[in-house]
Amino acid sequence: MPLRDTSADHAATDRTFQVDLRGLVDLLSHHLYSSPRVYLRELLQNAVDALTARHAVEPHGNFGIRLYADGKVVRVEDDGVGLTEADVHTFLATIGRSSKRAERIAEQRADFIGQFGIGLLSCFLVADEIHVLSRSARTPDAPAVEWRGRGDGSYTVRTLPASARPRPGTTVTLTPRSDAGEWTRPQQVHALARHFGSLLRHPVTFDDGSGGEAAPVNPEPAPWARSFPTPGARSRALAAYGEEVFGFTPLDTIELDLPAVGLKGIACVLPEAVPAGRRHGHRVHVKGMLLSEQAEEILPEWAFFVRCVVDAESLRPTASRESLYEDATLAAVRDALAERLREWIARAAASDPDLLGRFLQTHHLAVKSLAVHDDEILRMLLPWLPFETTDGHTTLDEFARTHRTVLVTSSVEEFRQVAAIASAAGLGVVNGGYTYDRELVHRMPEIRPEVSVADLDPATLTAHLDPVDRETELAAAPYLTQARDALAVFDCDVALRTFQPASAPALLVDSREARHERTRSRLAREQEGGVWGDILGALRQEAPRAQLILNQLNPLVRTAVAIDEPELARTSAEALYGQAVMLSRRPLRPAESSLINRSFLDLLAHALRKDS
């Protein structure tokens, strides 16, 4: 039996998606927009884009935007290009379609802020109905058109006499819901208008319905767009603007100007240090409209010593228009702004040492993070950067004048262990335990070839400690034996030397790497024969021991090495070890805490018995 062709019985039927507008608005409010307050930004943005299109038709026209809010309605009126009835059906009744995509103005799309065609939906975050009255400027005799859209997805359109809106343009009116009062009361609408539109290039006014004169929302251009009688006056105006925007008095302001992308603005140098890696949000406007106050991506991570406010023409906003789209343009802008910050540092280094000093005192960590990756900044500023050294906090340039061989520790605790003794021995040691410091100190010979840099090795330090004479060492041998036995549990050897300062009874020479190696060796012994034992055994090296070096010049040590009572000798050695560990300020292990407590109590008990 031949097979029957049933394709005709199952012909595909084209269908149209059904849109639940309320569900879509809920999606926008929870996942696209950060707050219902964006409704006013979207209305302002549509008005600005309409004015931009109007200027394309009438380049010399004097057009503006008027806001009205009296607690009952919110109204935004513009003198823009307006809409015909066909435009209303095409653009207001079709979700996702933008009038900026219209063929007639496609070539000017780059001039518009919005490009996504969903902005008007944001009004449903605060109102259940949107009323639009518009008259086209492209068709002089076109009637006015009224569109009413409701939150349930329905809408009506009708034409009205030209007298209903005598001038071309558009008026959008919202009747707020009762739960939207937080965002639609007059004071809030005015504040939001100032917040989003203070740098708009078209005049914007606000009327609260009280009968008074409408207040300007953006009374003057941004300070970088104005002329000033002197450079000093310009600097003061930029600093005052930075203080108004960010709430702090800048250490200095850096003017930013990238003509290729139409970007202008300022970077304000923070007057206080911030934690390394903490990124501040920057205030970014696109064509005058505030896009974001938290745009971290506009500057590289190392630039955490400034906060920026910029206005750009060519940066692309994301669909929510609350952040920037990461593309090649943004990457190029980020690199160019980073170069402006480098140039500012170079100018300060060359012509304003007082400013440079205040900047480095506050933001040396930020500059160090930059110098690690930037050879130019390294050559320029490394000699001026402060470091912790055996000569105190000083610059590398000053330190290198005294010490042609610079030793650097690998950790803060290692520096604290050896600082006093190394200083007394005439060794120049830099604390390399802080972020970036060790790496930067090792690059010092690139700037000062006459200086050599090396990691501090325990053998280097102990070589500068003087040995005691043979008779003294023989006399102390019984005590040293007791001390080594008492401290064997910590893999610690004991030696007797003489060194300055005499007030230091003991020096503990031990590194973090040595402690890790001893821990690995101990685990290998405990796991002998197991899988982990084989793995750790393969990693195991000759475990370096810590060394407690007793100072024969110290009166307490001279008394201790003469002790002939075994238990007291052990206790005194434990106490000297505990004191040396605490001086290093490294975290105590539980066994060390227990030893310190026990040795203190034993010495106290011994003293009390002796007195009685």
Side-chain angles (χ1 to χ4, degrees):
M1 179 176 179
L3 293 176
R4 178 168 172 254
D5 184 359
T6 60
S7 60
D9 297 341
H10 300 282
T13 303
D14 288 336
R15 299 182 183 276
T16 302
F17 282 107
Q18 301 299 308
V19 177
D20 178 358
L21 188 60
R22 177 53 58 195
L24 181 59
V25 171
D26 183 68
L27 181 68
L28 294 179
S29 65
H30 287 93
H31 299 285
L32 185 66
Y33 296 125
S34 61
S35 163
R37 68 178 185 166
V38 299
Y39 83 91
L40 192 68
R41 183 196 65 197
E42 298 294 337
L43 288 177
L44 279 173
Q45 177 177 284
N46 286 342
V48 169
D49 287 341
L51 291 178
T52 301
R54 179 80 181 271
H55 275 290
V57 178
E58 303 175 49
H60 305 294
N62 184 20
F63 311 121
I65 301 170
R66 294 165 294 280
L67 292 157
Y68 177 90
D70 61 1
K72 298 177 182 177
V73 298
V74 175
R75 183 179 301 126
V76 179
E77 181 180 359
D78 68 68
D79 300 321
V81 72
L83 300 170
T84 64
E85 182 177 359
D87 292 335
V88 167
H89 284 289
T90 302
F91 302 123
L92 298 189
T94 306
I95 294 171
R97 179 173 292 178
S98 170
S99 63
K100 273 74 81 174
R101 294 190 178 95
E103 185 175 330
R104 287 169 295 181
I105 57 174
E107 64 274 11
Q108 286 100 27
R109 278 190 65 197
D111 297 330
F112 298 104
I113 302 172
Q115 310 243 338
F116 295 94
I118 56 175
L120 195 63
L121 288 182
S122 67
C123 295
F124 286 120
L125 300 175
V126 298
D128 286 325
E129 183 174 286
I130 304 171
H131 176 260
V132 179
L133 182 63
S134 188
R135 183 179 175 190
S136 175
R138 292 197 185 92
T139 309
D141 57 350
V145 183
E146 180 189 64
W147 178 87
R148 288 183 184 272
R150 289 170 286 274
D152 60 6
S154 63
Y155 70 93
T156 60
V157 178
R158 62 173 180 157
T159 58
L160 301 174
S163 59
R165 200 186 195 291
R167 296 184 300 177
T170 300
T171 301
V172 179
T173 304
L174 310 178
T175 302
R177 294 195 307 271
S178 58
D179 61 351
E182 177 184 0
W183 307 109
T184 57
R185 63 178 184 269
Q187 299 92 329
Q188 182 68 296
V189 172
H190 190 200
L192 290 176
R194 290 275 299 164
H195 180 73
F196 290 118
S198 62
L199 298 187
L200 289 175
R201 291 82 183 270
H202 303 286
V204 183
T205 60
F206 173 77
D207 183 356
D208 63 3
S210 63
E213 187 176 351
V217 168
N218 52 342
E220 57 185 5
W224 52 81
R226 304 201 303 265
S227 298
F228 295 90
T230 64
R234 184 177 185 84
S235 264
R236 288 190 293 273
L238 293 175
Y241 182 75
E243 184 171 2
E244 177 186 347
V245 169
F246 295 124
F248 62 81
T249 302
L251 189 66
D252 196 19
T253 53
I254 307 164
E255 192 158 0
L256 306 173
D257 187 5
L258 303 178
V261 291
L263 182 146
K264 290 180 178 290
I266 56 172
C268 297
V269 182
L270 293 162
E272 297 179 350
V274 295
R278 175 182 172 186
R279 300 187 69 184
H280 285 289
H282 305 289
R283 190 178 176 94
V284 176
H285 299 251
V286 174
K287 302 178 180 69
M289 182 70 71
L290 179 64
L291 179 78
S292 174
E293 295 176 279
Q294 300 297 326
E296 296 180 355
E297 62 274 20
I298 197 75
L299 285 179
E301 290 186 10
W302 56 258
F304 53 81
F305 56 90
V306 296
R307 293 193 70 183
C308 291
V309 52
V310 299
D311 186 19
E313 295 287 337
S314 301
L315 294 178
R316 291 174 58 196
T318 59
S320 68
R321 288 181 285 278
E322 295 183 339
S323 59
L324 294 170
Y325 187 82
E326 187 69 46
D327 58 8
T329 300
L330 179 57
V333 166
R334 186 163 48 237
D335 291 343
L337 293 180
E339 185 59 29
R340 297 297 182 274
L341 298 185
R342 291 189 187 94
E343 290 170 358
W344 174 81
I345 294 174
R347 285 196 304 272
S351 61
D352 196 338
D354 179 61
L355 173 61
L356 179 68
R358 287 185 285 120
F359 170 66
L360 291 180
Q361 183 178 7
T362 305
H363 296 294
H364 58 273
L365 189 58
V367 177
K368 287 178 180 179
S369 72
L370 174 57
V372 166
H373 306 289
D374 192 305
D375 291 344
E376 182 180 347
I377 294 297
L378 178 80
R379 289 190 298 271
M380 187 187 312
L381 293 182
L382 181 59
W384 303 96
L385 290 172
F387 289 82
E388 185 179 7
T389 74
T390 46
D391 291 353
H393 281 83
T394 185
T395 66
L396 278 188
D397 196 54
E398 292 176 353
F399 193 66
R401 291 175 191 169
T402 308
H403 306 280
R404 291 305 185 192
T405 298
V406 176
L407 302 172
V408 57
T409 65
S410 60
S411 66
V412 173
E413 65 189 58
E414 184 181 359
F415 177 81
R416 289 170 177 166
Q417 286 172 6
V418 305
I421 289 87
S423 178
L427 296 176
V429 182
V430 178
N431 186 348
Y434 296 115
T435 307
Y436 312 118
D437 283 14
R438 183 166 174 266
E439 183 177 355
L440 288 172
V441 174
H442 272 286
R443 298 190 67 179
M444 185 64 179
E446 299 176 28
I447 317 300
R448 299 282 189 270
E450 69 278 9
V451 176
S452 63
V453 177
D455 286 327
L456 178 66
D457 185 89
T460 303
L461 181 63
T462 54
H464 284 74
L465 306 181
D466 296 325
V468 297
D469 59 72
R470 184 170 178 78
E471 291 76 11
T472 301
E473 188 161 13
L474 286 173
Y479 178 84
L480 296 178
T481 300
Q482 294 282 349
R484 290 180 186 120
D485 183 60
L487 301 181
V489 66
F490 300 111
D491 291 317
C492 183
D493 196 7
V494 183
L496 186 64
R497 298 284 189 273
T498 62
F499 53 86
Q500 294 294 338
S503 58
L507 166 67
L508 181 63
V509 179
D510 194 16
S511 68
R512 185 180 304 172
E513 292 76 13
R515 291 198 302 276
H516 288 172
E517 181 57 35
R518 292 197 298 271
T519 301
R520 194 159 52 230
S521 298
R522 177 176 55 79
L523 289 174
R525 291 193 300 269
E526 292 174 355
Q527 299 286 342
E528 194 76 38
V531 175
W532 284 110
D534 294 339
I535 295 174
L536 293 170
L539 297 174
R540 186 165 133 196
Q541 305 170 4
E542 184 64 28
R545 305 190 75 195
Q547 192 173 36
L548 181 68
I549 303 176
L550 304 180
N551 187 4
Q552 175 65 17
L553 297 180
N554 182 269
L556 178 63
V557 171
R558 289 201 300 270
T559 301
V561 297
I563 296 173
D564 56 7
E565 184 180 335
E567 285 303 316
L568 182 57
R570 290 176 61 91
T571 300
S572 65
E574 291 173 341
L576 287 168
Y577 174 84
Q579 190 256 1
V581 171
M582 288 191 295
L583 284 178
S584 73
R585 292 189 238 178
R586 69 165 168 82
L588 295 175
R589 291 174 286 179
E592 290 171 337
S593 297
S594 176
L595 173 140
I596 291 170
N597 291 331
R598 186 179 67 252
S599 62
F600 170 76
L601 293 174
D602 287 349
L603 288 174
L604 181 61
H606 177 81
L608 292 174
R609 285 197 303 271
K610 185 177 178 181
D611 289 342
S612 62

